[in-house]
Amino acid sequence: MKERGGKGGGSQPSVNERYTQWKSLVPILYDWLANHNLVWPSLSCRWGPLLEQATYKNRQRLYLSEQTDGSVPNTLVIANCEIVKPRVAAAEHIAQFNEEARSPFVKKFKTIIHPGEVNRIRELPQNSKIVATHTDSPDVLIWDVEAQPNRHAVLGATESRPDLILTGHQEDAEFALAMCQSEPFVLSGGKDKSVVLWSIHDHISTLATDSGATKSPGSNGGKSPKADDKPTESPKIQARGIFQGHEDTVEDVQFCPSSAQEFCSVGDDSCLILWDARTGSSPVVKIEKAHNADLHCVDWNPIDENFILTGSADNTVRLFDRRSLTSNGVGSPVHIFTNHNAAVLCVQWSPDKSSIFGSSAEDGVLNIWDHNKVGERSGPASKFAPGLLFRHSGHRYEMSGNRVYDFRDKVVDFHWNSHDPWTIVSVSDDGESTGGGGTLQIWRMIDLIHRPQEEVINELEKFKSHILTCSSP
C-alpha cells in the first residue's frame, strides 16, 4: 500500500439505494448513533481515559487527528465525549441522524500542533494520557496530552514539542504503530522494511514533571513566544531492537497481549511475520503468502492469544491460529472473511468477547464479525457472509441539497471502547469527495443483535405479553 488518503476507486451503482435503506433502518439497528462532521479529514481515532460516570451517560477523552491542506497546521486533537449509556437514547433521537451534523456530544478540549500530519495514534495502556503518533518521518513521537499546552492552529504557529522522540528507522514510518499491554514498550514499522522496538519505561514517569518544568514552544496559548522562551529539543530514545525480515514496507505491527517480547507484523510483501525478541532479530515464523495482495493491518486477540487477524488489499480478512503456523512458513488461515468490496484498512478484536472483531475498508463499510458463527447456516446474515454479525454503513454518503450521491468513503480507522465494549468510534476520510472534510461517528448496535438468541427470544416474549396485557379491554 502506497497511500491511505484520497479517493479509493470508482463509485458503485447500488451505493445510493443501499445507503438510503440503511438510513431508514437506523432507529431499529442502533441503540445510539452520533454523527460529527469534521472540518478536516482524520486518519486515526482512539478512546482515552474515562473522566466521569453519571446515571445516563459517561464522559470520556477521545483522540483524533486533523489532516489539513496546509492553510493551517496539522493537529492532534483531544476531545471530550459524552457517551450515552445502553438503552437510554430514545428511538426518536436516533431517528434524527443527520449526515451534515456536528454532534453536541463531541467537544474539542485541547489542540496540539503536530509536526506533520497524524497518520496513526496509539495510547499507552499503562497510562492512557500518554500517546504515540506517526507522521511522514522516521521517528515516533510521544506526547503527554494532559501536560501539553493548548494551542491555536493558525498559519505560522510554532509546532508543539513532543515529550519524547523515538529514533531507529532509516526511512519514513507512517502507519505501523503499537503499544504493549504488559509493559511500556512501543513498536513501529516503516518503509525501511524494518520493525523497531523501544522501551520507554524509564521515561514516562517523569514526562509530566519535565513538561511542567520546561515550557513547550507556544505554551502561551498560541501567542508568539517571548525571546527568552527558547525551544528546547525533545529527548531522543534509541531503539531496543531492530528486526529485519520484510521485503517491502511494513504496514502494521501488533504485540502479543501478554508479552513485550513477542509481536507480529504485516507488509506490502504480503507477509505475516511473528517475532520473539528473546531469540534474536530474525523472524520466528514468516508466512510468505498470507494474502493475495499487500497486507494493511493486523491485530492479536487480547483474550485468546492463539488468534491473529489480518486485512489486505485483496478485500479479505483472514484469521490465523498461531498453533498451526510453522517455522518453515507453512500456515493456512482458519477462515477467510469475504464481504468487503475494497481494500481492508483496519481490523480489531473486541476487548470484551474473544470471538468478536471488526473490519473497516475503502468500501465505506465497517463490518462486525463473530467467528464462532462461521458454521451457522441460519439467520439473515448468512446470505451475505459466514460470521457476519452487523454492517455499519453510515460513513458512505455525499450530500448536495437533499440528494445522496454515490461514492466511497474510506473508513480508515475505528476503536472499540473498553469502558463500554459495544460502543465504537470510527472515522472516514471524505477529503476529495466533500471538498475537505471528514466524518467521525460514535455508535452502538442494538443489543438484540449480539445477545444470545434464547435470551433475546425470552425478552421479546415478555414484551409481547406486556403489549397484549396493556391492550386488553
Side-chain angles (χ1 to χ4, degrees):
M1 183 181 58
K2 303 309 175 189
E3 59 180 67
R4 300 196 185 192
K7 204 166 184 177
S11 56
Q12 298 178 354
S14 60
V15 171
N16 191 7
E17 280 186 5
R18 282 187 287 174
Y19 179 81
T20 303
Q21 181 185 27
W22 170 84
K23 187 176 177 181
S24 70
L25 294 173
V26 164
I28 300 170
L29 297 175
Y30 292 85
D31 181 70
W32 185 53
L33 173 59
N35 186 82
H36 190 72
N37 271 11
L38 303 168
V39 176
W40 301 106
S42 181
L43 296 182
S44 192
C45 58
R46 301 293 284 187
W47 290 112
L50 191 64
L51 302 175
E52 183 182 357
Q53 298 188 66
T55 305
Y56 298 111
K57 56 189 176 183
N58 296 332
R59 196 159 57 94
Q60 190 171 351
R61 286 275 195 262
L62 178 67
Y63 308 131
L64 62 147
S65 64
E66 288 182 322
Q67 182 190 19
T68 72
D69 62 0
S71 60
V72 293
N74 292 283
T75 62
L76 170 63
V77 174
I78 297 91
N80 288 339
C81 290
E82 292 182 338
I83 312 298
V84 176
K85 290 188 174 181
R87 298 200 169 196
V88 169
E92 308 92 81
H93 168 77
I94 301 170
Q96 293 171 1
F97 174 79
N98 181 358
E99 298 92 345
E100 298 179 285
R102 290 179 63 80
S103 174
F105 294 102
V106 181
K107 293 181 172 63
K108 186 180 289 188
F109 170 72
K110 182 183 288 187
T111 298
I112 294 170
I113 298 181
H114 199 270
E117 64 185 38
V118 184
N119 296 330
R120 188 63 60 90
I121 306 166
R122 290 293 179 263
E123 76 287 353
L124 187 67
Q126 297 81 21
N127 183 347
S128 58
K129 297 176 183 178
I130 295 174
V131 302
T133 58
H134 256 179
T135 187
D136 297 333
S137 84
D139 300 327
V140 176
L141 309 180
I142 303 294
W143 308 88
D144 183 334
V145 294
E146 295 299 321
Q148 282 283 333
N150 185 32
R151 304 292 304 282
H152 297 305
V154 296
L155 186 62
T158 308
E159 294 171 350
S160 300
R161 181 175 66 88
D163 292 282
L164 294 173
I165 298 177
L166 311 186
T167 64
H169 281 292
Q170 301 304 309
E171 296 183 51
D172 288 355
E174 296 177 311
F175 295 104
L177 182 63
M179 297 285 218
C180 179
Q181 289 291 328
S182 56
E183 295 184 52
F185 279 30
V186 183
L187 196 64
S188 169
K191 291 183 177 179
D192 58 4
K193 310 172 189 177
S194 65
V195 175
V196 182
L197 176 69
W198 296 269
S199 170
I200 58 173
H201 182 275
D202 296 333
H203 306 276
I204 57 171
S205 60
T206 60
L207 283 184
T209 304
D210 291 346
S211 297
T214 305
K215 282 190 176 182
S216 296
S219 59
N220 297 325
K223 299 176 183 178
S224 299
K226 299 176 183 178
D228 57 352
D229 286 342
K230 295 180 180 179
T232 56
E233 290 189 4
S234 304
K236 294 186 177 181
I237 310 301
Q238 294 184 343
R240 184 185 182 97
I242 299 177
F243 302 84
Q244 303 285 350
H246 281 284
E247 296 174 5
D248 207 333
T249 300
V250 180
E251 291 289 354
D252 202 8
V253 291
Q254 189 56 260
F255 281 98
C256 172
S258 63
S259 173
Q261 306 297 329
E262 297 176 79
F263 40 91
C264 60
S265 60
V266 296
D268 288 345
D269 54 4
S270 302
C271 291
L272 165 64
I273 298 181
L274 273 60
W275 311 84
D276 190 333
R278 296 165 298 191
T279 64
S281 59
S282 298
V284 174
V285 175
K286 183 175 182 179
I287 307 302
E288 297 277 1
K289 199 73 175 174
H291 282 258
N292 299 322
D294 298 357
L295 273 76
H296 292 170
C297 46
V298 64
D299 198 27
W300 204 313
N301 195 311
I303 301 170
D304 187 340
E305 295 180 6
N306 293 312
F307 292 126
I308 296 172
L309 286 172
T310 56
S312 167
D314 66 7
N315 305 353
T316 70
V317 176
R318 301 193 177 192
L319 174 63
F320 291 89
D321 186 334
R322 69 168 173 166
R323 292 169 296 187
S324 65
L325 306 179
T326 63
S327 58
N328 61 358
V330 176
S332 299
V334 175
H335 187 73
I336 300 175
F337 297 87
T338 56
N339 187 261
H340 286 292
N341 298 316
V344 178
L345 299 179
C346 183
V347 291
Q348 189 181 97
W349 290 102
S350 163
D352 185 58
K353 190 174 180 182
S354 63
S355 65
I356 302 292
F357 66 91
S359 63
S360 67
E362 292 184 359
D363 60 5
V365 174
L366 200 168
N367 283 331
I368 305 299
W369 307 84
D370 185 346
H371 74 76
N372 281 348
K373 296 185 180 296
V374 166
E376 295 183 3
R377 299 299 178 189
S378 60
S382 62
K383 65 183 179 182
F384 296 108
L388 184 62
L389 188 67
F390 189 80
R391 283 169 61 86
H392 176 64
S393 303
H395 285 284
R396 181 191 281 173
Y397 74 93
E398 180 174 353
M399 292 296 297
S400 179
N402 294 321
R403 184 178 176 188
V404 180
Y405 285 91
D406 292 350
F407 89 105
R408 293 179 182 176
D409 266 2
K410 296 181 177 184
V411 184
V412 291
D413 200 12
F414 70 93
H415 192 201
W416 299 85
N417 193 330
S418 60
H419 297 286
D420 188 356
W422 286 97
T423 298
I424 293 173
V425 59
S426 50
V427 288
S428 61
D429 177 9
D430 315 338
E432 292 186 11
S433 57
T434 59
T439 304
L440 178 145
Q441 291 180 345
I442 304 170
W443 55 275
R444 182 194 306 118
M445 73 177 80
I446 193 166
D447 62 9
L448 297 177
I449 295 173
H450 60 77
R451 283 165 54 200
Q453 188 174 5
E454 288 185 7
E455 192 177 300
V456 171
I457 291 173
N458 289 336
E459 181 169 328
L460 293 176
E461 284 294 332
K462 290 179 181 177
F463 181 73
K464 178 183 175 182
S465 300
H466 177 73
I467 294 295
L468 291 174
T469 302
C470 292
S471 61
S472 299

